[in-house]
Amino acid sequence: MNIQNDRRGLVKSLHYISGVTLSVFIAFHLLNHLFALDGPEKHIQIMDQFRLVYRHPVVETLLLLVVLFQIVTGIRLIYKRDAQTIAEKIQVYSGLYLSFFLIAHIGAVLSGRYIEHLDTNFYFAAAGLNYYPATFIFIPYYFLAVASISLHVSAIHYLKTGSKGTAVGIAVIGIVASFIIILAFTDSFKWLDMPLPYEQFIRVLI
Ligand code: HEM
Ligand code: HEM
């Protein structure tokens, strides 16, 4: 029992350390998406700057390994966790959605880059959001991703500090940011036209 507890404690600590590391990327990544409020060109300009860091082969390899590690350790923690309280349940369900999303999202980005030979910039994500019927899948898909990461962090904060006000604040800020990203990527549901290769890509897909 003690050995099992020790091992669980170790997995939890490792999930924590890699989670904090990954959060640095996620913060910049979501900030990048918020710049889409100023139009696609601004989003691409900021992404070009951020790519200088996270597209460096060493950084990118580490980033992708950390994502994989986060999913594997997270699923192990769920498997051994008997979630009782609402906060614990939110942590588990947000984690489950993040596992699905990260596998789908990174799979899409890598296949977009290496199989479709597309520049996986603003238009790559926006294509799914702006064409019917794909938009019905991609709006909840991206909205829930940003909402889930906020809910995951919010639940952690609550379970560690017991502070309900701050935890609710984190969740609300994240959910509002998620909605703003969807507005920015769809020109507030007035819809955007994509360069032809991106439109063709999404029309073939869905
Ligand atoms: C995507 C980025 C993720 C980040 C930044 C993140 C971060 C964290 C952090 C910092 C903790 C707190 C650990 C502690 O209490 O010391 C935690 C807990 C937890 N995470 Fe994640 N996580 C992520 C993804 C996932 C995924 C994909 C899953 C599940 C498949 C998951 C499942 C869990 C569970 C079950 C706990 C509770 C552990 C426990 O207290 O028993 N997480 N996460
Ligand atoms: C929880 C939220 C999210 C996480 C954890 C996440 C994570 C990641 C990761 C790890 C990469 C791979 C970076 C690389 O190796 O080049 C990536 C790429 C990308 N993501 Fe996300 N993402 C999230 C949300 C979003 C959202 C909401 C959008 C757009 C609406 C988006 C659009 C993109 C695009 C376009 C790329 C390609 C970047 C490039 O080619 O430089 N992501 N994301």
Side-chain angles (χ1 to χ4, degrees), residues 23-45:
S23 298
V24 176
F25 169 79
I26 294 175
F28 281 101
H29 194 50
L30 297 184
L31 179 69
N32 189 169
H33 298 328
L34 285 169
F35 272 99
L37 280 173
D38 202 9
E41 291 314 314
K42 188 73 189 175
H43 181 279
I44 290 171
Q45 191 193 327

Side-chain angles (χ1 to χ4, degrees), residues 29-30 33 94 96-111 124-129 133-149 178 181-182 201-202 205-206:
H29 194 50
L30 297 184
H33 298 328
S94 58
L96 280 176
Y97 185 78
L98 283 169
S99 310
F100 153 75
F101 173 77
L102 285 170
I103 292 169
H105 188 53
I106 288 175
V109 168
L110 294 181
S111 71
F124 183 74
L129 289 164
T135 184
F136 285 118
I137 295 171
F138 282 95
I139 288 179
Y141 171 75
Y142 283 120
F143 178 81
L144 287 176
V146 182
S148 294
I149 189 73
S178 188
I181 290 173
I182 301 293
F201 165 69
I202 205 69
L205 195 69
I206 299 176

